Each structure stands twice: as structure tokens, then as C-alpha cells.
Amino acid sequence: GVVLATQNPVDLDYKGLGNAGTWLLGRLQTDRDKMRVLDGLESAAAAAGSFNRATYDNLLSNLKNRCFLMINAKEDKPTLLTTRWCLSYLAGPVTRTQIATLKASFPAAAVAASKASAPGPAPSTGGGGAPRTQVPSANRPMVPSGVTELFLPWRGSPSDGRLEYRPAILGSSRVHYVDAKNGVDAWEEVKVWSPVPDETASDPWDGAKSFDGDAPEFEKSPDATAGFASMPAAVSKPKAFATWQKALEEHLYRVRSVTLWKAPDLKLASTPGETEKDFRARIAKVAGGTVEAEVADVEKKWTSKLTTLSDRVRAAQQRVDREKAQKKQSWISTILGILMAAVMMFTGKKTSAGSMSRAGSAAKGMGRMGKESQDVAMAEESAEVLAKRLTEMTAQKDAEIAVVRAKADGSSVALVEVKVTPRKSDLVASPVALLWTPYRVSADGSASPAF
């Protein structure tokens, strides 16, 4: 008998497959391999006429790990087998201690000969631009059929250790922001990535990172000399990618938003992506053409009031001057009357009716002086009150003009922050891709991102 084992059924002719008597089929990673196997099975069962292609297609598509479908040409139905053990006696990469032990058991001449005869690794420039030496690439893990694989370009010094790809998930979606009240209707392209989440995570995109600005040019094939880290079990399940796609839509709706700046007094709002500085500059540009017209309106509003009050201030000041003149004249008349009465008394002349009349007039003049002083004080107080009101009114007018002129530079315009969330009905994410992210692994096992 002959045993034929292959991981690539598509490379075999279906006629050769059709001559196999016993089949053991494991999970097939690509649709092409599955179609070739189904063609071979159909050819083998053509004589019996009992082959149901849809049934076998469904069985092959739902095989789990370590499960095999056994098909025997002498039996009517297939048998599902599960391997009891899956063991490997390979210890894996040796440690530094083990390397030292192995070297100690080898003669020095044999070690030197092995170094001299060993072929050197192929140089590669990669993303760093300079030739580098790497450990030959580890086996690239298989991924479910239909899942897109992308590779982040690596960069950095080629001497910083070997290159290793680690799995992550990449999500992309168009996000639609709509706010009719503020005149917003904008779309945004969003690309986020996250390490492969745990199957129990409530939000597999929690902590996901966005690509700032434009996303990098993803590569479709890995660096030839890079290794691959082990792939989490969740990645081998096609349904996981559909789940992550749906979760991405929920995540973006919950955490994504755009911030707008709104100037209520001017009935203006910024556009998505417009910074506060740019918005204020636009306010100044829009308002600049109307500032002078608004200033003229303010001036016109206050002109009549200020003119009336200015006239009252001027009249009050004229009254103060008039009252002061009357007070001065009354003061002079009173002083002269007192002096004449005193002269007549000291000259020794007999008191006459005239001298008595002058004395009485002098006494009355003293009373008028007191009244004139009160009139002056009242006139000054009234003028002072009106002048103060005129100053305050002028200040109010100047303040209004300052507010209007402030619009010309936009620096003092009061702004309100507004957040706009995506429209949920328009949020449809693209299929999630498997993104391989490059890391540099040093000799001591520590790793650092190389992207």
C-alpha cells in the first residue's frame, strides 16, 4: 500500500485523489484546497452515486482542532475521529545554559569545522534600508480562509536583535457625523488596531490605538527572515472576526466623537477638524466686514442721549457761574454797607435815620450772602451729578463699541464646546483583518516594537 500525506491538496490531480481507498481529512485552510478534495471525493464515489457534495462541504468546514473525517471506500458513511494524543518530543529552542552544556561536549575542532561549513543567513534590507542578518523565518501560522493578512512595515536599526511578527487585529470604518442644528454633515475614515483580545473580553477594542493622520502603507507579505510568534486560539475561529467586526461598530459609536466650537452671539460654528485658533481666525474674517457698520449703529444710538445730557451739563455749569457772580456781587454790596455804617459811627456824627437805614441794609446783606452761598452749593452739586452721569454714559457707549470691535480679531468672542457623536445607522465597519506587528527580540528575550 501507499500512504500519501499533504498539506496542499490543490497541488494534486483529482484523479489521483480519486484512487485513494481511505481518506483522513483534517481542517482545510483555503477554499481551493477544500474544492480540490471535494472533486476527488466526488470522483471516487462516482460509481456508487451516493456522494452528497453539500453534506461533505459542511462537514469539512466545521471540523475542530485535532478532528479528522475518515472516509472508507467500503463504507457508506464517513466517520469522525478525534486524536487522543498530540505529543511532540522536541524540546523547542535551547536555552543559554543548554547551549553551554552542548558546546562543552563537542571537541573544539568540531565546533570550528561546523562554523566554517555553515551557510550564512541571507541579508535583507527590510524597512531599515541597511543589510541585516536574521534568524531564518519560523513557520508562518495558518489563518482561516477569507481573513485578510497585513503586515506593518518595520523600521529601526538592523542590529537590534531578530525580527518577530506578533498578531493583532485591524479594524476600519467610515464614521458619519451629523448635526443639522450646527450645520455638520461629515464623514471620517477611521483605522484602529489592537492586540488579539481575550475571548472573554466585554469590549475587544478597549484600549485600541488609532493611526494618527494617514495609516501607513501596509505590506502584504512578511520580511523573508522574520519569525512569527504563536497565534492565539481565537484567531483560528472565523466567527471571531465577525464578532470583532460587530464589536468595532459598537465601540466607535460609544467612544468616537468630534468637538466643535460654537459662537452663539454670532450664530457661527466650527467645522469638524477645525481648531479653536482657526475658528477664531474665521470669526475675525467674517466679522471684519460688518464691524464698522455696527460701530456706526452704536454711535447713532448713543448720540441723542449724550447730546441731551451734555446740554444739561452745560446749563448746570452756567447756573453755577451765575450763582457765583450773584454771590460775589451781594458780598461786595454787604461789605460796603458795613464799612459805611462803621465810618459814620466812628466819626462821632449823630445817629441819623440814614445811618440806621444803612446798618439795616448791611444786616440784610449778610442774610442774602448766606442764601447765595447755599444756591451756589446746590448748583455745583447738580452740575457734578450731571457730569458724572455723562461720564458713565460715555463709558457705556465705549464699552459697546469695544465689544463690537473685538469681533474683528475673534480673540474675545465667547465660545461654547459642542460634541457630536456618530450616526449609528451609518456606522458599518469593514471586515476585520489580521495585522502582523513587527518586534525586535534581543538575546535576553526582551522585545520592543519595531514600527
Side-chain angles (χ1 to χ4, degrees):
V2 176
V3 175
L4 175 62
T6 180
Q7 287 185 328
N8 300 292
V10 72
D11 293 336
L12 302 178
D13 192 286
Y14 73 94
K15 294 178 182 179
L17 293 175
N19 283 296
T22 303
W23 298 57
L24 287 169
L25 302 172
R27 175 185 292 182
L28 298 172
Q29 300 292 339
T30 66
D31 288 337
R32 292 180 61 198
D33 285 338
K34 187 167 62 174
M35 292 302 103
R36 179 53 57 89
V37 168
L38 290 173
D39 290 341
L41 288 174
E42 190 171 18
S43 176
S50 59
F51 181 76
N52 188 322
R53 191 181 183 96
T55 300
Y56 280 86
D57 188 354
N58 185 55
L59 288 171
L60 291 174
S61 298
N62 291 283
L63 286 176
K64 297 182 179 180
N65 292 338
R66 296 170 42 231
C67 291
F68 296 86
L69 193 66
M70 186 182 78
I71 302 170
N72 194 322
K74 298 180 180 180
E75 296 181 2
D76 296 333
K77 296 181 180 180
T79 302
L80 189 65
L81 299 178
T82 302
T83 57
R84 182 179 295 179
W85 303 107
C86 189
L87 298 179
S88 172
Y89 290 96
L90 297 176
V94 292
T95 65
R96 285 187 164 189
T97 303
Q98 291 171 328
I99 291 174
T101 303
L102 290 171
K103 286 182 65 177
S105 63
F106 271 76
V111 174
S114 65
K115 287 183 178 179
S117 61
S124 171
T125 59
R132 63 187 176 89
T133 302
Q134 289 287 356
V135 178
S137 174
N139 289 335
R140 179 174 169 180
M142 299 294 291
V143 300
S145 175
V147 175
T148 301
E149 284 184 278
L150 297 172
F151 298 82
L152 267 178
W154 73 274
R155 55 179 174 267
S157 172
S159 61
D160 290 341
R162 64 184 177 86
L163 193 66
E164 179 182 85
Y165 286 108
R166 297 187 177 184
I169 54 176
L170 173 68
S172 58
S173 178
R174 294 189 74 213
V175 183
H176 193 194
Y177 300 101
V178 179
D179 187 343
K181 184 178 179 181
N182 293 305
V184 177
D185 187 352
W187 290 85
E188 180 187 22
E189 295 286 346
V190 177
K191 286 187 182 294
V192 296
W193 71 276
S194 174
V196 176
D198 187 87
E199 295 183 71
T200 61
S202 57
D203 181 5
W205 298 97
D206 185 27
K209 301 177 180 63
S210 299
F211 288 104
D212 295 331
D214 295 332
E217 290 291 334
F218 299 113
E219 298 174 349
K220 295 186 178 180
S221 58
D223 187 280
T225 59
F228 286 82
S230 59
M231 196 163 62
V235 178
S236 63
K237 301 177 181 179
K239 291 183 179 179
F241 286 83
T243 301
W244 294 333
Q245 180 180 351
K246 185 65 178 177
L248 177 61
E249 296 172 3
E250 297 292 335
H251 174 81
L252 293 177
Y253 177 72
R254 189 173 64 255
V255 306
R256 206 77 182 179
S257 66
V258 293
T259 300
L260 303 179
W261 299 100
K262 187 175 181 180
D265 295 340
L266 301 175
K267 297 181 180 180
L268 290 175
S270 66
T271 58
E274 187 177 22
T275 64
E276 180 183 356
K277 181 180 179 181
D278 293 339
F279 181 50
R280 288 190 180 277
R282 182 158 64 89
I283 288 175
K285 186 176 181 180
V286 171
T290 61
V291 164
E292 294 305 322
E294 291 186 40
V295 169
D297 290 341
V298 173
E299 293 276 9
K300 183 178 180 181
K301 181 182 74 172
W302 286 100
T303 296
S304 177
K305 297 178 182 179
L306 288 171
T307 300
T308 300
L309 190 55
S310 296
D311 291 342
R312 293 180 62 187
V313 169
R314 188 163 49 252
Q317 188 60 47
Q318 290 174 354
R319 182 188 171 194
V320 169
D321 295 340
R322 188 169 56 252
E323 293 293 342
K324 285 184 176 181
Q326 291 176 357
K327 176 185 175 182
K328 182 177 181 180
Q329 185 178 2
S330 177
W331 181 81
I332 293 172
S333 298
T334 302
I335 293 300
L336 288 175
I338 293 172
L339 289 175
M340 291 182 65
V343 168
M344 293 179 67
M345 289 176 63
F346 285 108
T347 55
K349 295 181 178 180
K350 294 182 178 180
T351 302
S352 64
S355 61
M356 292 298 294
S357 176
R358 288 189 181 90
S361 296
K364 290 180 181 180
M366 292 294 293
R368 283 196 303 271
M369 284 181 62
K371 183 177 180 303
E372 294 293 344
S373 296
Q374 291 179 358
D375 291 342
V376 171
M378 291 177 62
E380 287 179 340
E381 183 178 357
S382 178
E384 185 179 347
V385 169
L386 290 173
K388 184 177 181 181
R389 287 178 58 188
L390 180 61
T391 302
E392 291 174 350
M393 190 177 292
T394 303
Q396 290 179 4
K397 182 200 74 171
D398 293 341
E400 285 193 28
I401 292 176
V403 170
V404 173
R405 292 197 181 280
K407 297 177 184 177
D409 61 6
S411 60
S412 61
V413 176
L415 299 183
V416 177
E417 187 175 335
V418 179
K419 288 193 177 295
V420 180
T421 56
R423 179 185 280 177
K424 194 170 186 179
S425 59
D426 294 339
L427 215 165
V428 180
S430 302
V432 174
L434 179 63
L435 180 65
W436 291 102
T437 54
Y439 282 77
R440 287 189 295 272
V441 182
S442 59
D444 60 0
S446 61
S448 59
F451 53 89

